[in-house]
């Protein structure tokens, strides 16, 4: 399977779909989920073209992997959810329920989440 350059997050990264970026650095950007499942629901995506978690861990450079996860931590801090807690979700592939084929982490927070 090849990376789809027309997936919605690729278009956001390319600036072809306008998005209110909450965070940006060399490795990642973050923006609010279009259909929030909790009071705080933010997506963090790497700037590199990786389809999913397995593609990322297999093919990204170590500095991209580190940079991306550090960005996730910074976004959680910026959102002010560290003290009360939050959930990270990475849906991967068909059985994982992944809809957009560009790696993304959901940061979900702002209420006690069901187990
Ligand atoms: P997945 O199911 O792939 O893990 O999650 C994809 C997420 O992307 C969904 O929660 C969906 O609401 C969100 N999403 C889909 N299209 C857009 C969009 O154009 N803009 C934003 N901000 N979020 C989107």
């Amino acid at each position: 399977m090849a990376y789809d350059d027309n997936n919605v997050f690729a278009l956001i990264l390319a600036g072809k779909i306008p998005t209110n970026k909450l965070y940006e650095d060399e490795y990642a950007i973050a923006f609010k989920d279009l259909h929030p499942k909790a009071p705080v629901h933010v997506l963090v995506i790497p700037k590199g073209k990786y389809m999913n978690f397995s593609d990322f861990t297999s093919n990204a450079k170590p500095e991209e992997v580190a940079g991306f996860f550090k960005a996730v931590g910074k976004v959680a801090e910026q959102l002010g959810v560290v003290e009360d807690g939050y959930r990270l979700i990475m849906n991967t592939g068909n059985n994982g329920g992944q809809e957009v084929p560009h790696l993304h982490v959901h940061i979900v927070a702002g209420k006690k989440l069901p187990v």
Side-chain angles (χ1 to χ4, degrees), residues 90-109:
M90 296 175 91
N91 297 324
T92 302
N94 194 35
N95 282 357
Q98 182 179 2
E99 290 170 13
V100 180
H102 181 109
L103 173 66
H104 49 282
V105 171
H106 300 249
I107 300 178
V108 187

Side-chain angles (χ1 to χ4, degrees), residues 36-54:
K37 306 282 191 305
V40 176
H41 189 168
V42 167
L43 302 170
V44 189
I45 72 173
K47 286 190 170 173
K49 296 179 175 183
Y50 300 105
M51 294 178 282
N52 56 40
F53 183 74
S54 295

